[in-house]
Amino acid sequence: MPALGLGVFQSTAEQTADVVTTAIAAGYRLIDTAAAYFNEEQVGEGIRRSGIDREDVFVTTKLWMTDHGRDRTRKAFDASLRRLGLDRLDLYLIHWPEPASWSQTVESWLVLEELLAEGRVRAIGVCNHHPHHLRDLIDAGSVVPAVNQVELHPFFNQPRVRPFNAAHGVITQSWAPIGGGRVYNAGRPDAPHSPLEHPTITGVAERFGKSSAQVVIRWHLQHGLSVIPKSADPQRIAENIDVFDFELSADDVAAIDALGTANRAGGDPEVVDRRLHSVTIDND
Ligand SMILES: NC(=O)c1ccc[n+]([C@@H]2O[C@H](COP(=O)([O-])OP(=O)(O)OC[C@H]3O[C@@H](n4cnc5c(N)ncnc54)[C@H](OP(=O)(O)O)[C@@H]3O)[C@@H](O)[C@H]2O)c1
């Protein structure tokens, strides 16, 4: 799996085919979508339009919560492949665990294991799993998830999840990697609202002649994280992959590590369930 990819959450259906074509031309080889982003069809269209060989691009999609359970999971997987126009997927992820109906999450995981064994997907994994969820899933199944994709950026750097994943051979992939999703310090006009505005990061960026986003993406990569920034803007798409000509010092990395807070941008996996995110996918 490429370490750096393009996320397409909130890329509209109208934008997404162009965004994907632009990203592939800029050098991206990993596209991260989900059934719940309602743009899988356009991701497939963008890949085909780019002219790239199917084997040279890594496609991730995700199973939505309302499709947990044995039969629904298989149907959802088939529908995602159909919408993408692919006959095989690279990575299939459980989008959220549902602690309140955990047995359904486990049932879905066991179906993902079957899909892997059948060769319909090259790797399977999860998103938003706390260490104890991951431990329960590993105990229930026979395949260790390849990836745990979690919210991770300088303002929320997951000090418990990262080492747990690493100890179990699970790749940590960062969502909202440049801090998309939430305005921090909303009540304090003088304080940074996003990691990209924080003086520690703007200072490092200035020193390297790079943008804040490039510094933050570099911070993920130097931590050994996979990172999937979203942009629908051609210039920022190019900017976000132009991160391989500089290296942060250990002190820079430590200074950015020190910006971590206890505040998530997104939901806590312990309490998120399908009632909170009331999206349903039409898989017929
Ligand atoms: N598994 C999950 O539960 C989950 C949850 C959320 C996200 N994700 C995945 O992770 C991906 C990334 O997360 P995200 O989209 O929430 O947040 P993000 O990538 O941290 O931030 C995206 C935001 O930053 C802006 N941006 C992009 N490049 C920029 C740059 N160089 N300078 C300044 N602003 C820039 C984008 O605007 P423009 O588009 O205008 O450039 C957009 O508003 C998603 O697309 C999705 O694939 C997964």
PDB file of all heavy atoms in Angstrom, residues 54 58-62 74 77-78 81 84 86-93 109-125 143 146:
ATOM      1  N   ARG A  54      -4.900  -0.775 -13.935  1.00  0.00           N
ATOM      2  CA  ARG A  54      -5.597  -1.093 -12.686  1.00  0.00           C
ATOM      3  C   ARG A  54      -4.622  -1.555 -11.595  1.00  0.00           C
ATOM      4  O   ARG A  54      -4.766  -1.214 -10.418  1.00  0.00           O
ATOM      5  CB  ARG A  54      -6.670  -2.169 -12.960  1.00  0.00           C
ATOM      6  CG  ARG A  54      -7.251  -2.818 -11.726  1.00  0.00           C
ATOM      7  CD  ARG A  54      -8.042  -1.815 -10.882  1.00  0.00           C
ATOM      8  NE  ARG A  54      -8.489  -2.379  -9.617  1.00  0.00           N
ATOM      9  CZ  ARG A  54      -7.863  -2.213  -8.455  1.00  0.00           C
ATOM     10  NH1 ARG A  54      -6.769  -1.487  -8.372  1.00  0.00           N
ATOM     11  NH2 ARG A  54      -8.342  -2.749  -7.344  1.00  0.00           N
ATOM     12  N   PHE A  58      -4.064   1.702  -5.976  1.00  0.00           N
ATOM     13  CA  PHE A  58      -4.532   0.984  -4.781  1.00  0.00           C
ATOM     14  C   PHE A  58      -5.836   1.637  -4.332  1.00  0.00           C
ATOM     15  O   PHE A  58      -5.864   2.829  -4.007  1.00  0.00           O
ATOM     16  CB  PHE A  58      -3.446   1.095  -3.698  1.00  0.00           C
ATOM     17  CG  PHE A  58      -3.674   0.240  -2.487  1.00  0.00           C
ATOM     18  CD1 PHE A  58      -2.974  -0.958  -2.320  1.00  0.00           C
ATOM     19  CD2 PHE A  58      -4.552   0.640  -1.494  1.00  0.00           C
ATOM     20  CE1 PHE A  58      -3.161  -1.740  -1.183  1.00  0.00           C
ATOM     21  CE2 PHE A  58      -4.744  -0.140  -0.354  1.00  0.00           C
ATOM     22  CZ  PHE A  58      -4.049  -1.329  -0.200  1.00  0.00           C
ATOM     23  N   VAL A  59      -6.907   0.867  -4.329  1.00  0.00           N
ATOM     24  CA  VAL A  59      -8.227   1.428  -4.023  1.00  0.00           C
ATOM     25  C   VAL A  59      -8.753   0.866  -2.698  1.00  0.00           C
ATOM     26  O   VAL A  59      -8.833  -0.355  -2.519  1.00  0.00           O
ATOM     27  CB  VAL A  59      -9.234   1.126  -5.158  1.00  0.00           C
ATOM     28  CG1 VAL A  59     -10.582   1.779  -4.864  1.00  0.00           C
ATOM     29  CG2 VAL A  59      -8.701   1.596  -6.507  1.00  0.00           C
ATOM     30  N   THR A  60      -9.107   1.781  -1.828  1.00  0.00           N
ATOM     31  CA  THR A  60      -9.712   1.411  -0.534  1.00  0.00           C
ATOM     32  C   THR A  60     -11.159   1.863  -0.525  1.00  0.00           C
ATOM     33  O   THR A  60     -11.462   2.999  -0.923  1.00  0.00           O
ATOM     34  CB  THR A  60      -9.003   2.162   0.624  1.00  0.00           C
ATOM     35  OG1 THR A  60      -7.618   1.877   0.610  1.00  0.00           O
ATOM     36  CG2 THR A  60      -9.593   1.772   1.972  1.00  0.00           C
ATOM     37  N   THR A  61     -12.071   0.994  -0.062  1.00  0.00           N
ATOM     38  CA  THR A  61     -13.409   1.465   0.278  1.00  0.00           C
ATOM     39  C   THR A  61     -13.822   0.830   1.601  1.00  0.00           C
ATOM     40  O   THR A  61     -13.092   0.019   2.168  1.00  0.00           O
ATOM     41  CB  THR A  61     -14.427   1.271  -0.854  1.00  0.00           C
ATOM     42  OG1 THR A  61     -15.586   2.076  -0.548  1.00  0.00           O
ATOM     43  CG2 THR A  61     -14.857  -0.164  -1.055  1.00  0.00           C
ATOM     44  N   LYS A  62     -15.001   1.249   2.091  1.00  0.00           N
ATOM     45  CA  LYS A  62     -15.358   0.886   3.468  1.00  0.00           C
ATOM     46  C   LYS A  62     -16.811   0.429   3.584  1.00  0.00           C
ATOM     47  O   LYS A  62     -17.682   0.924   2.858  1.00  0.00           O
ATOM     48  CB  LYS A  62     -15.152   2.093   4.407  1.00  0.00           C
ATOM     49  CG  LYS A  62     -13.817   2.789   4.218  1.00  0.00           C
ATOM     50  CD  LYS A  62     -13.547   3.879   5.232  1.00  0.00           C
ATOM     51  CE  LYS A  62     -12.306   4.667   4.845  1.00  0.00           C
ATOM     52  NZ  LYS A  62     -12.578   5.796   3.948  1.00  0.00           N
ATOM     53  N   ARG A  74     -21.794  -8.974   2.736  1.00  0.00           N
ATOM     54  CA  ARG A  74     -21.473  -9.497   1.400  1.00  0.00           C
ATOM     55  C   ARG A  74     -22.139  -8.654   0.310  1.00  0.00           C
ATOM     56  O   ARG A  74     -21.540  -8.303  -0.696  1.00  0.00           O
ATOM     57  CB  ARG A  74     -21.975 -10.942   1.274  1.00  0.00           C
ATOM     58  CG  ARG A  74     -20.860 -11.867   1.004  1.00  0.00           C
ATOM     59  CD  ARG A  74     -21.204 -13.296   0.905  1.00  0.00           C
ATOM     60  NE  ARG A  74     -20.028 -14.013   1.340  1.00  0.00           N
ATOM     61  CZ  ARG A  74     -18.946 -14.221   0.603  1.00  0.00           C
ATOM     62  NH1 ARG A  74     -18.891 -13.823  -0.642  1.00  0.00           N
ATOM     63  NH2 ARG A  74     -17.912 -14.851   1.105  1.00  0.00           N
ATOM     64  N   PHE A  77     -20.381  -5.314  -0.043  1.00  0.00           N
ATOM     65  CA  PHE A  77     -19.090  -5.438  -0.746  1.00  0.00           C
ATOM     66  C   PHE A  77     -19.333  -5.545  -2.255  1.00  0.00           C
ATOM     67  O   PHE A  77     -18.694  -4.853  -3.057  1.00  0.00           O
ATOM     68  CB  PHE A  77     -18.331  -6.665  -0.231  1.00  0.00           C
ATOM     69  CG  PHE A  77     -17.029  -6.898  -0.948  1.00  0.00           C
ATOM     70  CD1 PHE A  77     -15.888  -6.191  -0.594  1.00  0.00           C
ATOM     71  CD2 PHE A  77     -16.943  -7.814  -1.996  1.00  0.00           C
ATOM     72  CE1 PHE A  77     -14.676  -6.382  -1.268  1.00  0.00           C
ATOM     73  CE2 PHE A  77     -15.739  -8.018  -2.678  1.00  0.00           C
ATOM     74  CZ  PHE A  77     -14.605  -7.295  -2.308  1.00  0.00           C
ATOM     75  N   ASP A  78     -20.255  -6.420  -2.635  1.00  0.00           N
ATOM     76  CA  ASP A  78     -20.565  -6.580  -4.070  1.00  0.00           C
ATOM     77  C   ASP A  78     -21.006  -5.250  -4.680  1.00  0.00           C
ATOM     78  O   ASP A  78     -20.597  -4.887  -5.788  1.00  0.00           O
ATOM     79  CB  ASP A  78     -21.679  -7.619  -4.268  1.00  0.00           C
ATOM     80  CG  ASP A  78     -21.191  -9.035  -3.990  1.00  0.00           C
ATOM     81  OD1 ASP A  78     -19.958  -9.252  -4.003  1.00  0.00           O
ATOM     82  OD2 ASP A  78     -22.043  -9.914  -3.739  1.00  0.00           O
ATOM     83  N   LEU A  81     -18.030  -2.842  -5.161  1.00  0.00           N
ATOM     84  CA  LEU A  81     -17.235  -3.214  -6.345  1.00  0.00           C
ATOM     85  C   LEU A  81     -17.954  -2.823  -7.625  1.00  0.00           C
ATOM     86  O   LEU A  81     -17.346  -2.320  -8.573  1.00  0.00           O
ATOM     87  CB  LEU A  81     -16.978  -4.723  -6.367  1.00  0.00           C
ATOM     88  CG  LEU A  81     -15.778  -5.257  -5.590  1.00  0.00           C
ATOM     89  CD1 LEU A  81     -15.483  -6.687  -6.003  1.00  0.00           C
ATOM     90  CD2 LEU A  81     -14.538  -4.404  -5.780  1.00  0.00           C
ATOM     91  N   LEU A  84     -17.722   0.892  -8.079  1.00  0.00           N
ATOM     92  CA  LEU A  84     -16.357   1.273  -8.475  1.00  0.00           C
ATOM     93  C   LEU A  84     -16.015   0.778  -9.876  1.00  0.00           C
ATOM     94  O   LEU A  84     -15.085   1.278 -10.519  1.00  0.00           O
ATOM     95  CB  LEU A  84     -15.344   0.683  -7.481  1.00  0.00           C
ATOM     96  CG  LEU A  84     -15.257   1.382  -6.113  1.00  0.00           C
ATOM     97  CD1 LEU A  84     -14.631   0.468  -5.066  1.00  0.00           C
ATOM     98  CD2 LEU A  84     -14.459   2.684  -6.227  1.00  0.00           C
ATOM     99  N   LEU A  86     -14.909  -2.295 -10.450  1.00  0.00           N
ATOM    100  CA  LEU A  86     -13.711  -3.124 -10.287  1.00  0.00           C
ATOM    101  C   LEU A  86     -14.124  -4.574 -10.046  1.00  0.00           C
ATOM    102  O   LEU A  86     -15.223  -4.844  -9.554  1.00  0.00           O
ATOM    103  CB  LEU A  86     -12.898  -2.651  -9.068  1.00  0.00           C
ATOM    104  CG  LEU A  86     -12.393  -1.208  -9.098  1.00  0.00           C
ATOM    105  CD1 LEU A  86     -11.674  -0.881  -7.791  1.00  0.00           C
ATOM    106  CD2 LEU A  86     -11.462  -0.976 -10.287  1.00  0.00           C
ATOM    107  N   ASP A  87     -13.226  -5.495 -10.393  1.00  0.00           N
ATOM    108  CA  ASP A  87     -13.557  -6.884 -10.051  1.00  0.00           C
ATOM    109  C   ASP A  87     -12.790  -7.363  -8.826  1.00  0.00           C
ATOM    110  O   ASP A  87     -13.036  -8.454  -8.310  1.00  0.00           O
ATOM    111  CB  ASP A  87     -13.347  -7.830 -11.249  1.00  0.00           C
ATOM    112  CG  ASP A  87     -11.960  -7.717 -11.829  1.00  0.00           C
ATOM    113  OD1 ASP A  87     -11.088  -7.119 -11.164  1.00  0.00           O
ATOM    114  OD2 ASP A  87     -11.749  -8.223 -12.946  1.00  0.00           O
ATOM    115  N   ARG A  88     -11.871  -6.525  -8.352  1.00  0.00           N
ATOM    116  CA  ARG A  88     -11.157  -6.864  -7.133  1.00  0.00           C
ATOM    117  C   ARG A  88     -10.771  -5.568  -6.426  1.00  0.00           C
ATOM    118  O   ARG A  88     -10.395  -4.591  -7.077  1.00  0.00           O
ATOM    119  CB  ARG A  88      -9.905  -7.679  -7.463  1.00  0.00           C
ATOM    120  CG  ARG A  88      -9.273  -8.309  -6.243  1.00  0.00           C
ATOM    121  CD  ARG A  88      -8.124  -9.213  -6.637  1.00  0.00           C
ATOM    122  NE  ARG A  88      -7.042  -8.433  -7.225  1.00  0.00           N
ATOM    123  CZ  ARG A  88      -5.750  -8.727  -7.061  1.00  0.00           C
ATOM    124  NH1 ARG A  88      -5.386  -9.771  -6.375  1.00  0.00           N
ATOM    125  NH2 ARG A  88      -4.828  -7.971  -7.626  1.00  0.00           N
ATOM    126  N   LEU A  89     -10.864  -5.597  -5.108  1.00  0.00           N
ATOM    127  CA  LEU A  89     -10.546  -4.395  -4.322  1.00  0.00           C
ATOM    128  C   LEU A  89      -9.173  -4.590  -3.676  1.00  0.00           C
ATOM    129  O   LEU A  89      -8.744  -5.719  -3.442  1.00  0.00           O
ATOM    130  CB  LEU A  89     -11.627  -4.240  -3.245  1.00  0.00           C
ATOM    131  CG  LEU A  89     -11.617  -2.961  -2.432  1.00  0.00           C
ATOM    132  CD1 LEU A  89     -11.968  -1.758  -3.315  1.00  0.00           C
ATOM    133  CD2 LEU A  89     -12.634  -3.068  -1.282  1.00  0.00           C
ATOM    134  N   ASP A  90      -8.498  -3.479  -3.376  1.00  0.00           N
ATOM    135  CA  ASP A  90      -7.199  -3.589  -2.705  1.00  0.00           C
ATOM    136  C   ASP A  90      -7.337  -3.654  -1.186  1.00  0.00           C
ATOM    137  O   ASP A  90      -6.672  -4.444  -0.539  1.00  0.00           O
ATOM    138  CB  ASP A  90      -6.300  -2.428  -3.138  1.00  0.00           C
ATOM    139  CG  ASP A  90      -6.038  -2.506  -4.631  1.00  0.00           C
ATOM    140  OD1 ASP A  90      -5.385  -3.467  -5.055  1.00  0.00           O
ATOM    141  OD2 ASP A  90      -6.559  -1.652  -5.382  1.00  0.00           O
ATOM    142  N   LEU A  91      -8.201  -2.811  -0.629  1.00  0.00           N
ATOM    143  CA  LEU A  91      -8.355  -2.789   0.838  1.00  0.00           C
ATOM    144  C   LEU A  91      -9.815  -2.508   1.177  1.00  0.00           C
ATOM    145  O   LEU A  91     -10.390  -1.531   0.684  1.00  0.00           O
ATOM    146  CB  LEU A  91      -7.449  -1.695   1.439  1.00  0.00           C
ATOM    147  CG  LEU A  91      -7.526  -1.470   2.952  1.00  0.00           C
ATOM    148  CD1 LEU A  91      -7.089  -2.716   3.737  1.00  0.00           C
ATOM    149  CD2 LEU A  91      -6.666  -0.262   3.368  1.00  0.00           C
ATOM    150  N   TYR A  92     -10.400  -3.388   2.006  1.00  0.00           N
ATOM    151  CA  TYR A  92     -11.775  -3.180   2.471  1.00  0.00           C
ATOM    152  C   TYR A  92     -11.730  -2.979   3.979  1.00  0.00           C
ATOM    153  O   TYR A  92     -11.138  -3.792   4.700  1.00  0.00           O
ATOM    154  CB  TYR A  92     -12.637  -4.393   2.124  1.00  0.00           C
ATOM    155  CG  TYR A  92     -14.134  -4.133   2.123  1.00  0.00           C
ATOM    156  CD1 TYR A  92     -14.662  -2.947   1.635  1.00  0.00           C
ATOM    157  CD2 TYR A  92     -15.033  -5.100   2.592  1.00  0.00           C
ATOM    158  CE1 TYR A  92     -16.037  -2.713   1.612  1.00  0.00           C
ATOM    159  CE2 TYR A  92     -16.410  -4.881   2.573  1.00  0.00           C
ATOM    160  CZ  TYR A  92     -16.902  -3.683   2.081  1.00  0.00           C
ATOM    161  OH  TYR A  92     -18.262  -3.455   2.051  1.00  0.00           O
ATOM    162  N   LEU A  93     -12.333  -1.877   4.432  1.00  0.00           N
ATOM    163  CA  LEU A  93     -12.273  -1.525   5.849  1.00  0.00           C
ATOM    164  C   LEU A  93     -13.671  -1.498   6.464  1.00  0.00           C
ATOM    165  O   LEU A  93     -14.623  -1.041   5.820  1.00  0.00           O
ATOM    166  CB  LEU A  93     -11.659  -0.120   6.018  1.00  0.00           C
ATOM    167  CG  LEU A  93     -10.242   0.098   5.484  1.00  0.00           C
ATOM    168  CD1 LEU A  93      -9.828   1.581   5.637  1.00  0.00           C
ATOM    169  CD2 LEU A  93      -9.240  -0.790   6.220  1.00  0.00           C
ATOM    170  N   TRP A 109     -16.647  -8.751  10.214  1.00  0.00           N
ATOM    171  CA  TRP A 109     -15.216  -9.033  10.093  1.00  0.00           C
ATOM    172  C   TRP A 109     -14.989 -10.444   9.526  1.00  0.00           C
ATOM    173  O   TRP A 109     -14.137 -10.652   8.662  1.00  0.00           O
ATOM    174  CB  TRP A 109     -14.504  -8.868  11.449  1.00  0.00           C
ATOM    175  CG  TRP A 109     -13.054  -9.193  11.313  1.00  0.00           C
ATOM    176  CD1 TRP A 109     -12.401 -10.294  11.789  1.00  0.00           C
ATOM    177  CD2 TRP A 109     -12.077  -8.457  10.558  1.00  0.00           C
ATOM    178  NE1 TRP A 109     -11.083 -10.277  11.402  1.00  0.00           N
ATOM    179  CE2 TRP A 109     -10.861  -9.152  10.647  1.00  0.00           C
ATOM    180  CE3 TRP A 109     -12.130  -7.269   9.822  1.00  0.00           C
ATOM    181  CZ2 TRP A 109      -9.698  -8.702  10.025  1.00  0.00           C
ATOM    182  CZ3 TRP A 109     -10.972  -6.825   9.203  1.00  0.00           C
ATOM    183  CH2 TRP A 109      -9.773  -7.537   9.307  1.00  0.00           C
ATOM    184  N   LEU A 110     -15.790 -11.403   9.998  1.00  0.00           N
ATOM    185  CA  LEU A 110     -15.601 -12.783   9.523  1.00  0.00           C
ATOM    186  C   LEU A 110     -15.930 -12.891   8.028  1.00  0.00           C
ATOM    187  O   LEU A 110     -15.296 -13.657   7.299  1.00  0.00           O
ATOM    188  CB  LEU A 110     -16.436 -13.757  10.365  1.00  0.00           C
ATOM    189  CG  LEU A 110     -16.043 -13.767  11.865  1.00  0.00           C
ATOM    190  CD1 LEU A 110     -16.936 -14.702  12.662  1.00  0.00           C
ATOM    191  CD2 LEU A 110     -14.564 -14.131  12.072  1.00  0.00           C
ATOM    192  N   VAL A 111     -16.867 -12.071   7.562  1.00  0.00           N
ATOM    193  CA  VAL A 111     -17.155 -12.047   6.118  1.00  0.00           C
ATOM    194  C   VAL A 111     -15.977 -11.428   5.359  1.00  0.00           C
ATOM    195  O   VAL A 111     -15.582 -11.920   4.295  1.00  0.00           O
ATOM    196  CB  VAL A 111     -18.474 -11.283   5.819  1.00  0.00           C
ATOM    197  CG1 VAL A 111     -18.678 -11.125   4.318  1.00  0.00           C
ATOM    198  CG2 VAL A 111     -19.655 -11.990   6.454  1.00  0.00           C
ATOM    199  N   LEU A 112     -15.386 -10.382   5.926  1.00  0.00           N
ATOM    200  CA  LEU A 112     -14.208  -9.787   5.271  1.00  0.00           C
ATOM    201  C   LEU A 112     -13.094 -10.836   5.162  1.00  0.00           C
ATOM    202  O   LEU A 112     -12.399 -10.916   4.138  1.00  0.00           O
ATOM    203  CB  LEU A 112     -13.702  -8.564   6.052  1.00  0.00           C
ATOM    204  CG  LEU A 112     -14.196  -7.198   5.561  1.00  0.00           C
ATOM    205  CD1 LEU A 112     -15.696  -7.080   5.551  1.00  0.00           C
ATOM    206  CD2 LEU A 112     -13.576  -6.058   6.370  1.00  0.00           C
ATOM    207  N   GLU A 113     -12.943 -11.654   6.185  1.00  0.00           N
ATOM    208  CA  GLU A 113     -11.928 -12.721   6.127  1.00  0.00           C
ATOM    209  C   GLU A 113     -12.242 -13.685   4.972  1.00  0.00           C
ATOM    210  O   GLU A 113     -11.345 -14.134   4.261  1.00  0.00           O
ATOM    211  CB  GLU A 113     -11.870 -13.486   7.452  1.00  0.00           C
ATOM    212  CG  GLU A 113     -11.279 -12.662   8.589  1.00  0.00           C
ATOM    213  CD  GLU A 113     -10.936 -13.501   9.828  1.00  0.00           C
ATOM    214  OE1 GLU A 113     -11.256 -14.716   9.848  1.00  0.00           O
ATOM    215  OE2 GLU A 113     -10.349 -12.934  10.765  1.00  0.00           O
ATOM    216  N   GLU A 114     -13.537 -13.990   4.790  1.00  0.00           N
ATOM    217  CA  GLU A 114     -13.914 -14.878   3.673  1.00  0.00           C
ATOM    218  C   GLU A 114     -13.593 -14.232   2.328  1.00  0.00           C
ATOM    219  O   GLU A 114     -13.077 -14.880   1.422  1.00  0.00           O
ATOM    220  CB  GLU A 114     -15.427 -15.182   3.721  1.00  0.00           C
ATOM    221  CG  GLU A 114     -15.839 -16.089   4.856  1.00  0.00           C
ATOM    222  CD  GLU A 114     -17.370 -16.182   4.981  1.00  0.00           C
ATOM    223  OE1 GLU A 114     -18.088 -15.753   4.033  1.00  0.00           O
ATOM    224  OE2 GLU A 114     -17.827 -16.671   6.019  1.00  0.00           O
ATOM    225  N   LEU A 115     -13.908 -12.943   2.206  1.00  0.00           N
ATOM    226  CA  LEU A 115     -13.657 -12.234   0.936  1.00  0.00           C
ATOM    227  C   LEU A 115     -12.156 -12.232   0.626  1.00  0.00           C
ATOM    228  O   LEU A 115     -11.744 -12.365  -0.530  1.00  0.00           O
ATOM    229  CB  LEU A 115     -14.191 -10.801   1.012  1.00  0.00           C
ATOM    230  CG  LEU A 115     -15.718 -10.682   1.135  1.00  0.00           C
ATOM    231  CD1 LEU A 115     -16.128  -9.260   1.534  1.00  0.00           C
ATOM    232  CD2 LEU A 115     -16.394 -11.066  -0.184  1.00  0.00           C
ATOM    233  N   LEU A 116     -11.355 -12.107   1.681  1.00  0.00           N
ATOM    234  CA  LEU A 116      -9.897 -12.150   1.513  1.00  0.00           C
ATOM    235  C   LEU A 116      -9.476 -13.541   1.019  1.00  0.00           C
ATOM    236  O   LEU A 116      -8.705 -13.662   0.048  1.00  0.00           O
ATOM    237  CB  LEU A 116      -9.219 -11.831   2.853  1.00  0.00           C
ATOM    238  CG  LEU A 116      -7.709 -11.837   2.873  1.00  0.00           C
ATOM    239  CD1 LEU A 116      -7.160 -10.611   2.114  1.00  0.00           C
ATOM    240  CD2 LEU A 116      -7.170 -11.818   4.317  1.00  0.00           C
ATOM    241  N   ALA A 117     -10.019 -14.562   1.648  1.00  0.00           N
ATOM    242  CA  ALA A 117      -9.653 -15.940   1.271  1.00  0.00           C
ATOM    243  C   ALA A 117     -10.093 -16.241  -0.166  1.00  0.00           C
ATOM    244  O   ALA A 117      -9.432 -16.996  -0.885  1.00  0.00           O
ATOM    245  CB  ALA A 117     -10.295 -16.932   2.243  1.00  0.00           C
ATOM    246  N   GLU A 118     -11.197 -15.631  -0.576  1.00  0.00           N
ATOM    247  CA  GLU A 118     -11.702 -15.854  -1.946  1.00  0.00           C
ATOM    248  C   GLU A 118     -10.926 -15.027  -2.977  1.00  0.00           C
ATOM    249  O   GLU A 118     -11.186 -15.147  -4.172  1.00  0.00           O
ATOM    250  CB  GLU A 118     -13.193 -15.459  -2.013  1.00  0.00           C
ATOM    251  CG  GLU A 118     -14.093 -16.407  -1.227  1.00  0.00           C
ATOM    252  CD  GLU A 118     -15.454 -15.781  -0.896  1.00  0.00           C
ATOM    253  OE1 GLU A 118     -15.836 -14.770  -1.540  1.00  0.00           O
ATOM    254  OE2 GLU A 118     -16.125 -16.298   0.025  1.00  0.00           O
ATOM    255  N   GLY A 119     -10.018 -14.171  -2.526  1.00  0.00           N
ATOM    256  CA  GLY A 119      -9.204 -13.368  -3.455  1.00  0.00           C
ATOM    257  C   GLY A 119      -9.944 -12.188  -4.036  1.00  0.00           C
ATOM    258  O   GLY A 119      -9.504 -11.579  -5.011  1.00  0.00           O
ATOM    259  N   ARG A 120     -11.062 -11.804  -3.413  1.00  0.00           N
ATOM    260  CA  ARG A 120     -11.833 -10.681  -3.963  1.00  0.00           C
ATOM    261  C   ARG A 120     -11.311  -9.345  -3.458  1.00  0.00           C
ATOM    262  O   ARG A 120     -11.658  -8.291  -3.968  1.00  0.00           O
ATOM    263  CB  ARG A 120     -13.316 -10.860  -3.626  1.00  0.00           C
ATOM    264  CG  ARG A 120     -13.826 -12.192  -4.190  1.00  0.00           C
ATOM    265  CD  ARG A 120     -15.300 -12.277  -4.166  1.00  0.00           C
ATOM    266  NE  ARG A 120     -15.865 -11.272  -5.041  1.00  0.00           N
ATOM    267  CZ  ARG A 120     -17.079 -10.754  -4.863  1.00  0.00           C
ATOM    268  NH1 ARG A 120     -17.813 -11.132  -3.858  1.00  0.00           N
ATOM    269  NH2 ARG A 120     -17.530  -9.846  -5.698  1.00  0.00           N
ATOM    270  N   VAL A 121     -10.479  -9.411  -2.422  1.00  0.00           N
ATOM    271  CA  VAL A 121      -9.860  -8.208  -1.866  1.00  0.00           C
ATOM    272  C   VAL A 121      -8.457  -8.604  -1.424  1.00  0.00           C
ATOM    273  O   VAL A 121      -8.230  -9.725  -0.970  1.00  0.00           O
ATOM    274  CB  VAL A 121     -10.724  -7.644  -0.701  1.00  0.00           C
ATOM    275  CG1 VAL A 121     -10.981  -8.670   0.375  1.00  0.00           C
ATOM    276  CG2 VAL A 121     -10.111  -6.396  -0.094  1.00  0.00           C
ATOM    277  N   ARG A 122      -7.499  -7.671  -1.614  1.00  0.00           N
ATOM    278  CA  ARG A 122      -6.097  -8.018  -1.314  1.00  0.00           C
ATOM    279  C   ARG A 122      -5.753  -7.848   0.153  1.00  0.00           C
ATOM    280  O   ARG A 122      -4.808  -8.469   0.635  1.00  0.00           O
ATOM    281  CB  ARG A 122      -5.157  -7.142  -2.152  1.00  0.00           C
ATOM    282  CG  ARG A 122      -5.232  -7.470  -3.636  1.00  0.00           C
ATOM    283  CD  ARG A 122      -4.472  -6.419  -4.441  1.00  0.00           C
ATOM    284  NE  ARG A 122      -3.056  -6.399  -4.092  1.00  0.00           N
ATOM    285  CZ  ARG A 122      -2.241  -5.359  -4.311  1.00  0.00           C
ATOM    286  NH1 ARG A 122      -2.706  -4.260  -4.860  1.00  0.00           N
ATOM    287  NH2 ARG A 122      -0.975  -5.422  -3.988  1.00  0.00           N
ATOM    288  N   ALA A 123      -6.471  -6.993   0.854  1.00  0.00           N
ATOM    289  CA  ALA A 123      -6.205  -6.801   2.280  1.00  0.00           C
ATOM    290  C   ALA A 123      -7.476  -6.300   2.957  1.00  0.00           C
ATOM    291  O   ALA A 123      -8.316  -5.666   2.318  1.00  0.00           O
ATOM    292  CB  ALA A 123      -5.075  -5.780   2.486  1.00  0.00           C
ATOM    293  N   ILE A 124      -7.605  -6.605   4.241  1.00  0.00           N
ATOM    294  CA  ILE A 124      -8.789  -6.184   4.999  1.00  0.00           C
ATOM    295  C   ILE A 124      -8.342  -5.510   6.293  1.00  0.00           C
ATOM    296  O   ILE A 124      -7.282  -5.823   6.833  1.00  0.00           O
ATOM    297  CB  ILE A 124      -9.733  -7.374   5.308  1.00  0.00           C
ATOM    298  CG1 ILE A 124      -8.975  -8.520   6.010  1.00  0.00           C
ATOM    299  CG2 ILE A 124     -10.396  -7.869   4.023  1.00  0.00           C
ATOM    300  CD1 ILE A 124      -9.889  -9.676   6.445  1.00  0.00           C
ATOM    301  N   GLY A 125      -9.168  -4.579   6.746  1.00  0.00           N
ATOM    302  CA  GLY A 125      -8.800  -3.861   7.962  1.00  0.00           C
ATOM    303  C   GLY A 125     -10.000  -3.146   8.544  1.00  0.00           C
ATOM    304  O   GLY A 125     -11.162  -3.421   8.187  1.00  0.00           O
ATOM    305  N   VAL A 143      -7.576 -13.539  11.085  1.00  0.00           N
ATOM    306  CA  VAL A 143      -6.697 -12.635  10.326  1.00  0.00           C
ATOM    307  C   VAL A 143      -6.546 -11.351  11.151  1.00  0.00           C
ATOM    308  O   VAL A 143      -7.538 -10.806  11.631  1.00  0.00           O
ATOM    309  CB  VAL A 143      -7.320 -12.294   8.952  1.00  0.00           C
ATOM    310  CG1 VAL A 143      -6.473 -11.266   8.206  1.00  0.00           C
ATOM    311  CG2 VAL A 143      -7.511 -13.547   8.107  1.00  0.00           C
ATOM    312  N   ALA A 146      -5.081  -5.540   8.592  1.00  0.00           N
ATOM    313  CA  ALA A 146      -3.853  -4.974   8.016  1.00  0.00           C
ATOM    314  C   ALA A 146      -3.698  -3.509   8.400  1.00  0.00           C
ATOM    315  O   ALA A 146      -2.578  -3.014   8.520  1.00  0.00           O
ATOM    316  CB  ALA A 146      -3.885  -5.121   6.494  1.00  0.00           C
TER     317      ALA A 146
END
